[in-house]
Amino acid sequence: MAKIIKVLKGTKDILPQEVEQWHKLEKNALEIFTKYGYKEIRTPIFEMTELFARGVGDTTDIVNKEMYTFEKSERSLTLRPENTAGVVRSFIENNMTRLSAPVKLWYKGPMFRYERPQAGRQRQFHQVGVEMFGIKEPSADAEVIVMATEYLKSLGLNDLEVEINSLGCPTCREEYKKKIKEVLKPEFENLCEDCQNRYEKNPLRLLDCKVDSCKEIFSRPEIQKVIQSDFICEECAEHYKTLKSYLDKLGVKYVENKLLVRGLDYYNRTVFEIKSNNLGSQNAVCGGGRYDSLVRNLGGEDTPAVGWAMGMERLNSLLPEIEPQKLDGYIVSNSPADAFVFAQELRNKGYNVEFDLANKKFTKQLEKASKCAKFALILGEDEIKAGTVSVKNLETSEQVTINRNEIEL
Ligand code: ATP
Ligand code: MG
């Protein structure tokens, strides 16, 4: 026998028995986001590598360690590790700035990151996300957060925690960065390698470190004092305060977390995550924030923006299992041509029906019908002659014979 080829590490098939849950994730996304005026956008799976280097940021894990990059015709291309950069590229390229603000977009699809596969972490995974362009007011931040919680509610997921923080603007953050560096300087040698590397370029990211020894250092009182200090400027503070007042009015519960800095370089002011207590260590289902400088950095006009992305595998693992749908009818007959014609009639009426393509014995067909359908539709010799069908309700075992064109399932 020929050698079997297996699915790659960190990738997974979505099998027919799970696909209805995925349909639900997608259907609810379309329904909910449409209510808020968002339109779906689909961008290519691969883009120029430079888009992600500039768009995601070259101090991030994604760009430094996790990208699937390859050469073709002397160009460096990359499988998208996230979709914000692609959406922003398309926004600029298609001149969407000329549309009246806000421009509201959503997406879903596969993303690729070369990470260590584990529960809740794959190399090909799926995200659903939203991006809103053109509004600098905190009402936009509030709208995308509310949409995220409404989407989760529509999936029956209520046991989730929204965490928010404000990273301030580049100006007020500079001072904060300096203070963080200062207070951590004596501990530099004791920080993990990643933290040492980030210390100069992106000291805020240190707060996000998951290494226990680093966490211990950051929990010390003198360091906590700096981390917990209010560093953001008056305008940023006003933005943050107004966002919180919107969330309060709309009944969105949240906790403030000063350690929440998010892995991507482009955020300013609002950042947020939504976490579940039922996911183990990979517990974030949603991450997002405001990224007012990204459109400009990628060559567009200055345009404020805010958005988020959710991991669909993590959402999927929180959903209750959905019973696979049964067929409306299964035609039981030893005349395959008549069965085929009848099946087409019913399909054209909108019913889901099958018949036995292999024309097995009558009893086998009945057995199959009782497993996969709500009704057995029996077309025996008598029924075919008379233009009737015997309809057997497979739950109650009731059976009636009616004219074929009067059937209602
Ligand atoms: P994490 O802290 O889990 O690595 P992240 O900060 O890298 O997340 P984002 O890039 O903001 O995450 O992506 C948003 C969401 O996408 C995450 O909250 C998570 O639900 C999901 N996600 C990210 N990476 C993966 C992955 N490798 N496999 C499955 N889901 C993922
Ligand atoms: Mg990550």
Side-chain angles (χ1 to χ4, degrees):
M1 282 224 278
K3 188 177 147 238
I4 293 172
I5 298 169
K6 294 209 171 141
V7 75
L8 283 171
K9 198 172 153 195
T11 71
K12 272 189 183 159
D13 298 312
I14 296 173
L15 297 169
Q17 60 267 30
E18 311 160 69
V19 86
E20 283 180 37
Q21 295 192 199
W22 285 82
H23 287 164
K24 181 167 175 149
L25 294 177
E26 293 164 1
K27 184 173 135 276
N28 289 26
L30 173 63
E31 267 173 29
I32 304 280
F33 306 154
T34 303
K35 286 189 192 173
Y36 295 76
Y38 287 68
K39 293 265 193 274
E40 187 178 355
I41 181 167
R42 301 185 185 190
T43 66
I45 302 286
F46 61 94
E47 300 260 9
M48 299 284 283
T49 302
E50 192 191 347
L51 174 69
F52 302 114
R54 275 167 57 193
V56 178
D58 50 18
T59 65
T60 60
D61 282 350
I62 293 184
V63 170
N64 287 326
K65 305 183 195 161
E66 299 175 357
M67 295 210 296
Y68 281 92
T69 296
F70 55 100
E71 293 260 327
K72 205 81 196 165
S73 310
E74 290 170 28
R75 285 176 173 205
S76 178
L77 310 177
T78 292
L79 298 183
R80 63 183 191 193
E82 54 92 88
N83 209 172
T84 301
V87 170
V88 171
R89 178 205 44 71
S90 179
F91 175 86
I92 298 168
E93 190 170 351
N94 293 293
N95 202 11
M96 292 189 215
T97 25
R98 78 185 141 66
L99 306 173
S100 57
V103 174
K104 298 174 166 187
L105 303 169
W106 75 274
Y107 61 80
K108 62 174 181 339
M111 310 295 157
F112 306 85
R113 297 184 193 176
Y114 188 68
E115 312 200 57
R116 195 168 66 78
Q118 51 193 294
R121 199 176 283 296
Q122 293 176 199
R123 290 180 173 171
Q124 174 173 339
F125 62 102
H126 296 76
Q127 285 185 336
V128 55
V130 306
E131 318 286 358
M132 187 201 309
F133 297 95
I135 306 290
K136 62 178 191 316
E137 282 74 14
S139 51
D141 313 45
E143 180 173 286
V144 298
I145 294 175
V146 167
M147 260 171 61
T149 58
E150 288 299 311
Y151 175 56
L152 294 166
K153 256 193 236 165
S154 81
L155 298 169
L157 308 177
N158 299 308
D159 185 20
L160 296 159
E161 192 146 273
V162 181
E163 287 190 1
I164 61 171
N165 189 21
S166 175
L167 299 178
C169 56
T171 321
C172 56
R173 193 157 53 202
E174 221 30 61
E175 197 54 33
Y176 186 59
K177 278 188 191 169
K178 251 191 235 157
K179 284 194 187 143
I180 298 251
K181 275 167 73 178
E182 243 168 56
V183 72
L184 287 175
K185 198 165 194 178
E187 296 296 335
F188 185 84
E189 292 304 323
N190 302 324
L191 296 172
C192 74
E193 205 187 320
D194 275 345
C195 282
Q196 291 192 357
N197 290 335
R198 288 178 183 139
Y199 178 87
E200 276 307 325
K201 269 192 169 172
N202 198 350
L204 279 197
R205 280 296 311 284
L206 271 57
L207 309 183
D208 202 23
C209 183
K210 305 281 185 293
V211 175
D212 283 338
S213 52
C214 293
K215 281 202 214 163
E216 190 278 315
I217 295 174
F218 304 147
S219 70
R220 292 182 198 158
E222 73 278 14
I223 296 174
Q224 271 297 310
K225 209 173 135 198
V226 176
I227 293 173
Q228 299 295 341
S229 64
D230 283 320
F231 69 92
I232 58 179
C233 65
E234 223 171 278
E235 271 179 54
C236 288
E238 186 59 33
H239 184 100
Y240 190 43
K241 198 175 123 206
T242 314
L243 165 64
K244 287 187 281 183
S245 77
Y246 276 120
L247 296 179
D248 291 336
K249 281 221 170 75
L250 289 155
V252 176
K253 292 206 185 73
Y254 56 84
V255 265
E256 296 179 63
N257 176 3
K258 289 251 179 173
L259 295 179
L260 183 64
V261 291
R262 309 275 310 122
L264 311 182
D265 280 355
Y266 48 58
Y267 290 114
N268 66 299
R269 290 195 168 162
T270 313
V271 286
F272 56 91
E273 276 190 0
I274 304 180
K275 292 178 180 161
S276 161
N277 297 322
N278 304 321
L279 276 177
S281 57
Q282 262 46 342
N283 64 353
V285 291
C286 176
R290 177 166 278 283
Y291 51 95
D292 293 336
S293 55
L294 185 59
V295 179
R296 194 186 51 227
N297 286 348
L298 289 175
E301 282 170 33
D302 220 351
T303 311
V306 57
W308 53 253
M310 290 194 197
M312 295 177 80
E313 278 76 9
R314 294 188 199 174
L315 291 178
N316 191 37
S317 67
L318 292 170
L319 286 189
E321 246 175 69
I322 300 175
E323 283 274 312
Q325 258 208 327
K326 282 197 165 179
L327 289 172
D328 297 313
Y330 191 88
I331 300 169
V332 176
S333 174
N334 281 129
S335 171
D338 286 292
F340 207 152
V341 170
F342 188 38
Q344 290 308 92
E345 279 170 29
L346 293 174
R347 288 166 181 160
N348 288 335
K349 281 190 179 171
Y351 294 120
N352 302 335
V353 289
E354 276 197 81
F355 68 98
D356 186 8
L357 291 160
N359 194 22
K360 285 196 216 84
K361 283 200 186 111
F362 219 75
T363 46
K364 285 262 182 257
Q365 293 189 24
L366 266 176
E367 257 172 46
K368 166 93 181 176
S370 61
K371 276 192 202 128
C372 70
K374 295 178 209 155
F375 294 95
L377 309 173
I378 302 161
L379 274 189
E381 269 173 43
D382 294 345
E383 283 94 347
I384 291 170
K385 265 189 215 140
T388 58
V389 55
S390 297
V391 180
K392 181 174 181 187
N393 183 324
L394 291 164
E395 226 169 72
T396 62
S397 291
E398 270 175 287
Q399 187 169 323
V400 287
T401 303
I402 55 168
N403 281 332
R404 266 166 68 162
N405 52 15
E406 283 169 7
I407 193 162
E408 270 182 42
L409 299 177

